Amino acid sequence: MSQQYSPQPQQPGYGEPQQPGSNGLATTALVLGIIAVVVSFIPVLNVVVWPLAILGIIFGAIGLSKAGKVRKGKGAGITGLVTSAVAITMFFAMNALFFSAVDKASEELDKSYDSTTVGDGKSKTGGAKESEVMKDFKVTKCDVVTGDLGIKEMAVHVDYVNNGDRRYSYFVEGEVLADGKKVNDFMSTAENLAPGQKFTDKDAGALVNADEIKDAAKLECKTIKASRTDF
């Protein structure tokens, strides 16, 4: 006599494969690391790499340790750690290149800029080029004239000639003296003069108080500082 087999009911979850859990920290580390790497290529602004990369390393380490339990996120955690470390390295590399380029540009600019402080000035720059700057201009007129509405003005004319081998722009600062006493300042400019080119600046005058100069026996226009910049 045969016996009839009756299958036993399975317990809930018995024989079913366990589903992997979530690992949001590993995914977050991956995203932060990628963003940090992208931003690290922007000099100066890449300072934001630090909080991104540090959080990426922290989340990546926690996510990696959690990956063994939930069986998910190991790759994302490792990638987050690696990209965060790369971002920090790129931060130093890109900023080093950027500031090196800035220093070189500054040195080139210094080479193209000649200046001189004359009179009682204490600081001088430009070395042997100081005399070259001074040879390129001369104050040719320093007189009091009556302008519109009877206002007394200083008519200051400055003649320029570019004695150099390239184009230069000039900037001259000076003082107006009445019997040795300063009554005002004047400034003069000449823009983009070619080698050998001449130019007269007739707009370098300065407004003065008529009472300060009406009895002056001697008027002077004294140059204080001059500079030139090449192109």
Side-chain angles (χ1 to χ4, degrees), residues 156-172:
V156 182
H157 292 181
V158 182
D159 287 351
Y160 294 89
V161 56
N162 183 356
N163 294 305
D165 58 355
R166 68 195 72 178
R167 287 183 173 273
Y168 282 108
S169 287
Y170 297 85
F171 179 69
V172 175

Side-chain angles (χ1 to χ4, degrees), residues 116-229:
T116 179
T117 302
V118 296
D120 296 330
K122 296 181 180 180
S123 62
K124 294 186 178 182
T125 61
K129 294 182 179 180
E130 292 175 3
S131 58
E132 297 178 12
V133 179
M134 300 304 294
K135 289 179 180 178
D136 286 0
F137 73 92
K138 182 180 180 181
V139 178
T140 56
K141 185 173 184 178
C142 183
D143 298 325
V144 177
V145 297
T146 302
D148 296 337
L149 304 177
I151 298 176
K152 295 292 184 179
E153 299 177 349
M154 287 296 305
V156 182
H157 292 181
V158 182
D159 287 351
Y160 294 89
V161 56
N162 183 356
N163 294 305
D165 58 355
R166 68 195 72 178
R167 287 183 173 273
Y168 282 108
S169 287
Y170 297 85
F171 179 69
V172 175
E173 299 177 69
E175 296 177 344
V176 178
L177 306 176
D179 293 335
K181 180 183 177 181
K182 176 182 174 180
V183 294
N184 214 320
D185 299 305
F186 74 87
M187 291 185 295
S188 174
T189 60
E191 300 291 335
N192 197 18
L193 299 187
Q197 183 178 353
K198 297 180 180 180
F199 171 74
T200 298
D201 179 16
K202 297 181 180 180
D203 297 319
L207 291 176
V208 297
N209 188 324
D211 293 336
E212 292 181 301
I213 59 175
K214 65 179 182 179
D215 297 324
K218 182 180 180 181
L219 291 174
E220 299 176 85
C221 291
K222 181 181 179 182
T223 301
I224 300 300
K225 185 181 294 185
S227 61
R228 69 181 185 184
T229 307

Side-chain angles (χ1 to χ4, degrees), residues 12 17 19 28 43 69 74 94 100 119 121 137 196 203:
Q19 298 296 322
T28 302
K69 299 178 181 179
K74 182 178 180 180
M94 294 304 298
S100 176
F137 73 92
D203 297 319

Side-chain angles (χ1 to χ4, degrees), residues 53-110:
I54 290 174
L55 289 175
I57 291 173
I58 294 173
F59 291 161
I62 297 174
L64 192 58
S65 66
K66 185 180 178 183
K69 299 178 181 179
V70 299
R71 296 191 299 160
K72 186 176 182 180
K74 182 178 180 180
I78 293 175
T79 305
L81 288 171
V82 172
T83 52
S84 296
V86 169
I88 293 175
T89 302
M90 290 302 302
F91 167 83
F92 289 108
M94 294 304 298
N95 281 321
L97 291 174
F98 173 75
F99 288 112
S100 176
V102 170
D103 289 341
K104 289 182 180 179
S106 179
E107 290 176 1
E108 292 298 324
L109 183 61
D110 290 340

